[in-house]
Amino acid sequence: MSDPPTSGTRPLDTHRWWALAVIATAQLMVVLDATVVNIALPSAQRELGLTNDNRQWVITAYTLAFGGLLLLGGRIADLVGRKRTFIVGLIGFATASAIGGASTGPEMLFAARGLQGVFAALLAPSALSLLTTTFTGGTERAKAFGIFSAIAGAGSAIGLLVGGVLTEFLSWRWCLYVNVPIAAIAVVGAFTLLGDRAGTKGAHLDIPGVVLGCGGLVALVYGLSEAQAHGWTAPLVLSLLLGGVALLCVFAWWQTRSPGPLLPPQVIRDRNRGGSVLTMCLTTTGLFGAFLFLTYFFQTVLGYSPLGAGLAFLPMTCAIVVGSTQISARLLPHVPPRLLLGPGLLLAAAGLYSLTFIDTHSSYPTHILPGTLLLGLGLGLTFMPAISTATMGVAPRDAGVSSATVNTAQQVGGSIGTALLNTLATTATATYLMTHLAAAERRAAPKGGLTAAQRADIVNTGTVHGFTVAMGWAALILVGTAVIAVLLVNGGSPRSREAAEAAPAA
């Protein structure tokens, strides 16, 4: 049965590049909010009385709700219409941001961040599916996805820069308040510029799929977030991880039998789409850990201010934009996606590997800048073809859930990377300090022991050692991802596929 005709297509076609600006603005707001509060967190902790144990929930509450509810948000967008859910998501996100900015205590801030995640799970798949149905093929699709992918890839780094500027000159609260005027502009643009197909009439949500899929993702993301604090072998962590995997396995089985599946199997059964989704997941596994370590390295080891730390990410952000819009977007219509994915991932891995040589006295221009530029350029080459291929060829009625699958892969990959790499880093640091600190104490004992400065230098060296070990593993993950991408994503260029599809009709 064919999809119903698109409604409101004339404004969408006439003003599609303005529509892209609206969609991209909303996506940027969602992506950067995962990191914009990172640099502001120390200030919020002091003002609201957060403890070292519960401060992680400022980040985790958002990512838990966002990652766990994305598939549900994508399916709702398909059922009721993406423009409606896009606007509702914007309004809800702005409201939650205002509540978070006005927080008077930790619980209010945690709840507001969770509510942001709920509406982000509705907004993000709506944005990407609107882009997918607006730019359906050819060079224009490549350009549009190049811009969108640059935002998706650079959004986390932009969040660190914006967070530094707002915290330095205004207040940590403006890291949340800033979403209100941005969302207001996007809502006006959505009403005037966006069109959409009607929702699927008479369709119902797959309730068992909602419970199994969302429950499994929430358990998995929650377990990964708790592994950082309690360790991978803690009963709570093991129960959550095993329970999450079990629920997702049952979810996968149910989707092949449900009359109205939450995630239709045909969305990821295609080799190229499935391979691209897996590539996105594994890429963000390495990326999010690198952002975390570099943020702490800049502020705690090199002594950068919040603004300085944010500015240090700016060259990488620019490299992502150049890679996505000036290289990938120009080449993808003419070359198979794997010819961009493989080199891009290897370039990003080389950038991470070069960062394993940093130490407490590293210079930013000579030791850090080259690696971050390579990392950014590689990510720019990777994100654009991965996102475009993962959403290509999907029926319009499934565009929302297909887009949600891509976003879910990013969030789950980021959560895995943060938990896994942080555990590797802290373990390496503890081992280093156990060996070197004790030895230094013995050598300094005849002279009265270590001074505070000497002890601090050893601790900083151990911390950086943990960072470099973890970034080395992140580089290996990206090398493995390059192999997977080249082997799985074996389709031709978009232009050749369009020609092949048009041939029978001719």
Side-chain angles (χ1 to χ4, degrees):
M1 183 177 179
S2 62
D3 291 299
T6 303
S7 62
T9 58
R10 184 172 182 79
L12 192 63
D13 290 337
T14 305
H15 305 293
R16 58 191 178 280
W17 292 106
W18 283 108
L20 172 62
V22 173
I23 295 168
T25 298
Q27 177 68 12
L28 176 62
M29 186 174 65
V30 168
V31 174
L32 67 81
D33 249 70
T35 57
V36 71
V37 299
N38 282 27
I39 289 180
L41 192 53
S43 299
Q45 182 176 356
R46 288 192 297 269
E47 185 173 332
L48 298 181
L50 277 67
T51 67
N52 289 337
D53 292 332
N54 69 15
R55 66 185 178 186
Q56 65 161 324
W57 283 102
V58 177
I59 309 298
T60 307
Y62 180 80
T63 57
L64 259 180
F66 189 15
L69 298 174
L70 268 165
L71 284 177
L72 176 60
R75 182 45 85 195
I76 291 174
D78 287 333
L79 296 182
V80 305
R82 266 90 64 174
K83 180 176 177 177
R84 292 178 185 175
T85 53
F86 184 81
I87 292 171
V88 170
L90 282 170
I91 295 172
F93 196 90
T95 302
S97 299
I99 294 171
S103 294
T104 56
E107 294 78 9
M108 185 175 176
L109 180 58
F110 299 156
R113 289 287 286 169
L115 194 60
Q116 276 187 308
V118 171
F119 284 104
L122 192 64
L123 178 59
S126 302
L128 183 52
S129 57
L130 282 168
L131 182 71
T132 301
T133 54
T134 302
F135 297 91
T136 56
T139 305
E140 283 194 346
R141 177 183 170 91
K143 290 179 180 178
F145 272 82
I147 295 170
F148 188 88
S149 301
I151 290 171
S156 297
I158 293 172
L160 295 169
L161 174 59
V162 172
V165 171
L166 294 174
T167 303
E168 187 98 357
F169 296 108
L170 293 173
S171 161
W172 68 266
R173 296 179 182 276
W174 275 97
C175 292
L176 295 164
Y177 284 145
V178 71
N179 292 319
V180 178
I182 295 174
I185 294 170
V187 167
V188 173
F191 272 116
T192 57
L193 295 169
L194 296 182
D196 189 23
R197 61 182 288 276
T200 305
K201 295 181 180 179
H204 301 284
L205 281 177
D206 174 20
I207 300 302
V210 170
V211 174
L212 292 169
C214 296
L217 285 174
V218 168
L220 188 62
V221 175
Y222 184 33
L224 291 168
S225 67
E226 289 298 293
Q228 178 179 340
H230 302 291
W232 290 97
T233 58
L236 172 64
V237 174
L238 288 176
S239 298
L240 287 168
L241 294 179
L242 292 176
V245 170
L247 284 173
L248 290 175
C249 288
V250 177
F251 168 78
W253 168 82
W254 172 250
Q255 294 307 283
T256 64
R257 288 158 176 79
S258 171
L262 184 66
L263 176 58
Q266 68 268 17
V267 170
I268 57 172
R269 187 177 291 155
D270 177 84
R271 178 172 179 164
N272 291 291
R273 284 199 295 268
S276 296
V277 169
L278 181 59
T279 297
M280 286 296 297
C281 181
L282 293 174
T283 300
T284 51
T285 297
L287 172 62
F288 273 50
F291 278 162
L292 176 68
F293 301 137
L294 285 173
T295 299
Y296 275 95
F297 178 73
F298 289 145
Q299 293 193 71
T300 63
V301 178
L302 298 185
Y304 287 11
S305 68
L307 176 59
L311 288 172
F313 283 99
L314 187 58
M316 180 169 64
T317 304
C318 294
I320 292 174
V321 173
V322 170
S324 293
T325 62
Q326 302 304 311
I327 302 177
S328 287
R330 294 176 185 272
L331 292 179
L332 184 60
H334 310 286
V335 302
R338 67 177 181 274
L339 295 186
L340 293 172
L341 293 173
L345 287 163
L346 291 177
L347 200 61
L352 282 176
Y353 178 70
S354 72
L355 292 173
T356 63
F357 295 98
I358 60 176
D359 57 35
T360 56
H361 304 292
S362 290
S363 164
Y364 179 82
T366 57
H367 299 112
I368 301 168
L369 181 61
T372 56
L373 286 174
L374 283 175
L375 177 60
L377 189 60
L379 292 174
L381 290 174
T382 302
F383 279 130
M384 187 269 166
I387 294 175
S388 178
T389 306
T391 55
M392 183 173 287
V394 178
R397 64 179 177 274
D398 293 327
V401 73
S402 173
S403 304
T405 304
V406 176
N407 281 286
T408 301
Q410 288 180 277
Q411 291 302 311
V412 172
S415 298
I416 292 172
T418 300
L420 173 63
L421 296 175
N422 191 65
T423 300
L424 291 171
T426 54
T427 302
T429 296
T431 303
Y432 181 95
L433 293 179
M434 188 182 302
T435 304
H436 292 75
L437 197 56
E441 289 280 12
R442 288 194 300 270
R443 289 194 299 269
K447 302 177 182 178
L450 292 173
T451 65
Q454 290 172 327
R455 181 179 293 272
D457 186 60
I458 294 172
V459 170
N460 278 341
T461 302
T463 301
V464 175
H465 172 71
F467 291 168
T468 57
V469 167
M471 283 192 282
W473 280 103
L476 282 177
I477 290 172
L478 293 187
V479 170
T481 306
V483 175
I484 291 172
V486 170
L487 292 177
L488 287 183
V489 185
N490 64 346
S493 68
R495 187 160 292 178
S496 67
R497 277 180 281 176
E498 290 170 7
E501 291 170 1

